[in-house]
Amino acid sequence: MPLKLATAVAACCVLLGGFLVAAPAEAVDVRCSDLDLPVTGPLGEPATVHGRLCLPDGPVPEAVQLLVHGGTYNSAYWDLPYDPDRYSYQRDMAKHGYATFAADQLGTGGSSKPSSLPLLLPVLARSMHEVIGHLRAGRIGGAPFEKVVIVGHSVGSGIVAAEASTYQDVDGVILTGMTHLPSVPALTFGVLFGLQPAFTDGKLGSLGSDPLYFTTKPGARAGLFYATENADPRVIEADEATKDQVSVPGMGTVAVFGIVLPATKAIRVPVLQAVGSKDILFCGLFALRDCSSGETLRPAEAPFYRPEAQLSTYVLSGAGHSLALHRNASEYRDATRVWLRDKVGVAVP
């Protein structure tokens, strides 16, 4: 069923055993640490995935969310270095008692940067599968996680869908910033006029001269990723300052085989799909999706999932593509926690 949430109530209370009780206080300490994990590169060579683990103070929780960013982002999407009390998904989750690990995809952030040409969807999905193995084996955080929920954004959602359907190794899936029928005109316009080779970019040019790594042109992120009337200009500035590159072959295979030809059809665990109501890339012109609410979105998306997915849909009102970075993003995080509790059985003390 579509995810229904009374935001004001969910922000302060949760329903446990039929009683409303106070949610975890925001005074909880947060512990974040960065680490590198061994994975397999595109050609079988050793490679490294860098990531940030954020935990609440105290015992390590039994469950963790593996966070997979979108194209031209890195893990900073989940822990933006501006006003973290309002915009950091990781720190907010930790304050509410949840563990997260935000990974830099291969080719971005602190992870290995192989040639872009072989960096295709199967390689990206495999690397996240290997990270899940590390999480379950206790190599991250000092204790094995019993449950892993994998969370994607945009291109990252296509990678998440491929990982979950191929390896069947997670307990829940969250897909954000995507629908199965995107706005082709908006995506085409964005690719043609919003992207440029990363080596030509003043910020990213030092990463190398690989011609098939691309990034956004200066100033393009506001129009592509935000409903600017619902976004802090300083957030967009921080987004621009932390932007990264994406493999064009990788992005193309994710779009075709992860989203349009849906990998989601083979997912056998609960799924939450969340978008912003003003996401021009997936809810805009010719997207043929009614993104006005979770109730209107679900009928169009449900055919792309198995019954076992128990599809829940959520729409963040007034938000653009990067819904986690809008002024009202706390509502989306509240909805996520309700879903984690109700559909995956992930609760905090």
Side-chain angles (χ1 to χ4, degrees):
M1 295 296 293
L3 188 63
K4 298 180 179 179
L5 177 68
T7 301
V9 174
C12 66
C13 307
V14 294
L15 185 62
L16 292 176
F19 298 92
L20 284 172
V21 298
E26 292 210 357
V28 174
D29 290 333
V30 175
R31 297 175 288 146
C32 293
S33 57
D34 288 9
L35 63 159
D36 297 314
L37 302 170
V39 298
T40 306
L43 303 179
E45 76 280 13
T48 298
V49 162
H50 178 84
R52 174 165 294 172
L53 175 70
C54 287
L55 300 170
D57 198 23
V60 176
E62 69 168 15
V64 65
Q65 298 174 62
L66 171 58
L67 310 177
V68 185
H69 61 82
T72 74
Y73 278 100
N74 52 42
S75 59
Y77 175 78
W78 307 104
D79 189 25
L80 195 73
Y82 168 75
D83 197 359
D85 287 339
R86 184 166 189 174
Y87 294 105
S88 173
Y89 184 99
Q90 288 197 275
R91 295 173 194 275
D92 183 63
M93 284 291 170
K95 287 176 181 178
H96 285 80
Y98 293 85
T100 59
F101 182 76
D104 289 328
Q105 293 181 36
L106 290 173
T108 70
S111 294
S112 299
K113 296 175 178 61
S115 171
S116 62
L117 189 59
L119 196 56
L120 307 178
L121 175 59
V123 173
L124 296 166
R126 180 181 65 197
S127 66
M128 291 302 101
H129 167 64
E130 292 175 322
V131 171
I132 290 169
H134 292 308
L135 289 165
R136 291 199 184 274
R139 302 187 191 103
I140 304 172
F145 290 101
E146 296 178 17
K147 290 185 177 181
V148 178
V149 176
I150 190 167
V151 185
H153 172 65
S154 190
V155 168
S157 288
I159 296 168
V160 162
E163 195 288 328
S165 62
T166 300
Y167 296 102
Q168 305 290 328
D169 59 353
V170 295
D171 300 282
V173 173
I174 301 176
L175 307 172
T176 73
M178 65 148 280
T179 67
H180 286 90
L181 191 60
S183 170
V184 174
L187 285 173
T188 302
F189 182 87
V191 169
L192 292 179
F193 299 102
L195 297 182
Q196 65 182 14
F199 73 84
T200 68
D201 186 86
K203 174 182 178 295
L204 299 177
S206 61
L207 294 179
S209 58
D210 190 318
L212 292 180
Y213 275 122
F214 271 54
T215 191
T216 51
K217 293 179 178 179
R221 301 178 84 80
L224 289 174
F225 300 153
Y226 291 88
T228 53
E229 67 277 10
N230 186 24
D232 185 332
R234 288 165 294 184
V235 165
I236 301 175
E237 291 174 6
D239 185 342
E240 181 72 31
T242 57
K243 74 178 183 179
D244 215 305
Q245 61 187 13
V246 64
S247 160
V248 172
M251 185 169 60
T253 56
V254 169
V256 174
F257 299 106
I259 298 175
V260 177
L261 300 177
T264 54
K265 195 68 175 176
I267 297 175
R268 299 175 181 271
V269 294
V271 175
L272 170 63
Q273 186 176 342
V275 295
S277 66
K278 295 189 176 182
D279 184 341
I280 64 168
L281 300 179
F282 286 90
C283 295
L285 185 65
F286 299 125
L288 300 181
R289 291 290 185 264
D290 184 346
C291 296
S292 56
S293 70
E295 287 83 357
T296 61
L297 177 63
R298 190 181 188 281
E301 288 295 312
F304 296 96
Y305 296 90
R306 303 175 65 90
E308 298 96 314
Q310 305 173 49
L311 177 65
S312 300
T313 48
Y314 176 80
V315 174
L316 181 59
S317 178
H321 182 60
S322 293
L323 66 164
L325 301 180
H326 283 71
R327 294 184 190 273
N328 58 340
S330 62
E331 299 173 23
Y332 144 67
R333 298 192 298 266
D334 288 339
T336 299
R337 284 187 282 268
V338 170
W339 178 84
L340 286 167
R341 183 197 67 209
D342 293 348
K343 295 294 187 179
V344 190
V346 176
V348 295

